[in-house]
């Protein structure tokens, strides 16, 4: 049975059927999936009863493993992290703000894979915002404010010891490891060409972006706030509903994503890998 790509009616996203990810894929299948990934930015694969070995094998079809600096991996694995929330957990929801994974790295991961293991019967959707569409729709007057800017990225607000997931963050089931290294910074163009497709898009947003090169904070902050509001407008968003045994992969170079709640009283567990940056 050939691979089928079922496109969503939202800003991005497609469901992929006709492929068994518990088995090795041939070059043609990998090429078809990569092409769909680059075109639709977010792919879901329903009804995939995958093991951790399967998840690692699938990830490596699309690149090496990315480096996850502030998560402890699950026992016995180096590259798989558990995105976990227990039914009785009271800590603030993890990753509920828009972001692109690890954009503060010198070479941020090209993609992320997330395998749904324990999925609540309600809530827990993941939202994705298409940053090519956000740039294309941006009014010329607004775009002129951002053209040529270099963004300063840092994990300090999230993963420094005094950050959101730092030493005062208690009662969390996820194995998060805050560290002083989160204060380090990297610089990336705010508007940049996708390294594989060449399509221009906005890269990352306020949170991991803490300012702009050569601009004081008083000037940068309102620009970041305006940008954040624009990037996450409804017309750019795909809202994904999870099912058990579903794999989702997304392109961190093309979309932002954020978690949603609504499943208090239910366990939620997903296994996560990242795909290393594409090197031309």
């Amino acid at each position: 049975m050939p691979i089928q790509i079922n496109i969503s009616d939202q800003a991005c996203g497609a469901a992929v059927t006709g492929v068994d990810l518990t088995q090795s894929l041939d070059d043609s299948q990998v090429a078809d999936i990569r092409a769909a990934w680059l075109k639709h930015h977010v792919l879901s694969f329903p009804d995939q009863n995958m093991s951790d070995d399967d998840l690692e094998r699938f990830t490596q079809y699309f690149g090496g493993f990315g480096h996850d600096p502030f998560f402890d991996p699950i026992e016995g694995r180096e590259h798989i992290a558990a995105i976990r929330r227990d039914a009785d957990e009271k800590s603030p929801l993890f990753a509920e703000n828009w972001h692109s994974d690890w954009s503060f790295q010198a070479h941020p991961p090209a993609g992320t894979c997330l395998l749904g293991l324990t999925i609540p019967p309600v809530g827990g959707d993941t939202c994705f915002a298409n940053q090519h569409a956000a740039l294309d729709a941006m009014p010329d007057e607004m775009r002129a404010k951002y053209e040529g800017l270099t963004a300063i990225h840092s994990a300090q607000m999230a993963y420094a010891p005094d950050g959101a997931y730092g030493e005062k963050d208690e009662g969390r089931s996820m194995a998060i490891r805050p560290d002083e290294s989160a204060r380090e910074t990297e610089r990336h163009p705010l508007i940049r060409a996708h390294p594989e497709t060449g399509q221009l898009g906005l890269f990352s947003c306020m949170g991991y972006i803490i300012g702009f090169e050569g601009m004081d904070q008083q000037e940068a902050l309102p620009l970041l706030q305006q940008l954040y509001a624009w990037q996450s407008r409804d017309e750019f968003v795909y809202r994904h509903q999870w099912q058990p045994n579903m794999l989702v992969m997304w392109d961190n170079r093309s979309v932002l994503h954020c978690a949603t709640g609504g499943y208090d009283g239910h366990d939620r567990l997903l296994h996560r890998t990242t795909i290393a940056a594409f090197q031309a």
Side-chain angles (χ1 to χ4, degrees), residues 196-208:
E196 294 189 68
T197 68
Q199 185 177 7
L200 290 177
L202 298 163
F203 180 61
S204 197
C205 64
M206 186 173 67
Y208 284 160

Side-chain angles (χ1 to χ4, degrees), residues 165-241:
Y165 305 118
E167 294 169 351
K168 295 183 179 180
D169 184 44
E170 298 179 347
R172 189 173 296 279
S173 52
M174 276 186 64
I176 298 176
R177 184 180 63 241
D179 189 82
E180 286 291 343
S181 64
R183 302 190 195 282
E184 298 173 0
T185 60
E186 285 289 345
R187 286 159 170 76
H188 301 291
L190 177 65
I191 298 174
R192 65 176 200 170
H194 190 288
E196 294 189 68
T197 68
Q199 185 177 7
L200 290 177
L202 298 163
F203 180 61
S204 197
C205 64
M206 186 173 67
Y208 284 160
I209 295 178
I210 61 171
F212 295 114
E213 193 172 64
M215 186 182 297
D216 64 38
Q217 280 299 101
Q218 188 174 0
E219 184 181 0
L221 184 57
L223 283 178
L224 285 168
Q225 291 171 331
Q226 181 186 40
L227 181 66
Y228 189 89
W230 177 265
Q231 290 173 288
S232 57
R233 288 167 64 105
D234 287 346
E235 59 262 39
F236 309 138
V237 172
Y238 162 61
R239 188 178 185 101
H240 178 76
Q241 294 182 324

Side-chain angles (χ1 to χ4, degrees), residues 71-82:
F71 294 162
D72 282 332
I74 63 173
E75 185 175 356
R77 301 282 170 168
E78 185 178 353
H79 303 291
I80 298 177

Side-chain angles (χ1 to χ4, degrees), residues 98-193:
W98 291 103
H99 63 286
S100 177
D101 282 335
W102 305 150
S103 72
F104 50 81
Q105 293 180 330
H107 302 286
T112 301
C113 299
L114 202 56
L115 176 64
L117 300 175
T118 302
I119 302 300
V122 294
D125 295 351
T126 302
C127 294
F128 299 91
N130 183 338
Q131 296 305 288
H132 300 298
L135 180 63
D136 290 345
M138 186 178 285
D140 291 343
E141 182 178 350
M142 181 180 178
R143 180 165 172 163
K145 299 177 184 179
Y146 298 102
E147 288 281 0
L149 292 182
T150 297
I152 303 169
H153 297 244
S154 174
Q156 63 187 34
M157 289 191 286
Y159 296 107
D162 58 352
Y165 305 118
E167 294 169 351
K168 295 183 179 180
D169 184 44
E170 298 179 347
R172 189 173 296 279
S173 52
M174 276 186 64
I176 298 176
R177 184 180 63 241
D179 189 82
E180 286 291 343
S181 64
R183 302 190 195 282
E184 298 173 0
T185 60
E186 285 289 345
R187 286 159 170 76
H188 301 291
L190 177 65
I191 298 174
R192 65 176 200 170

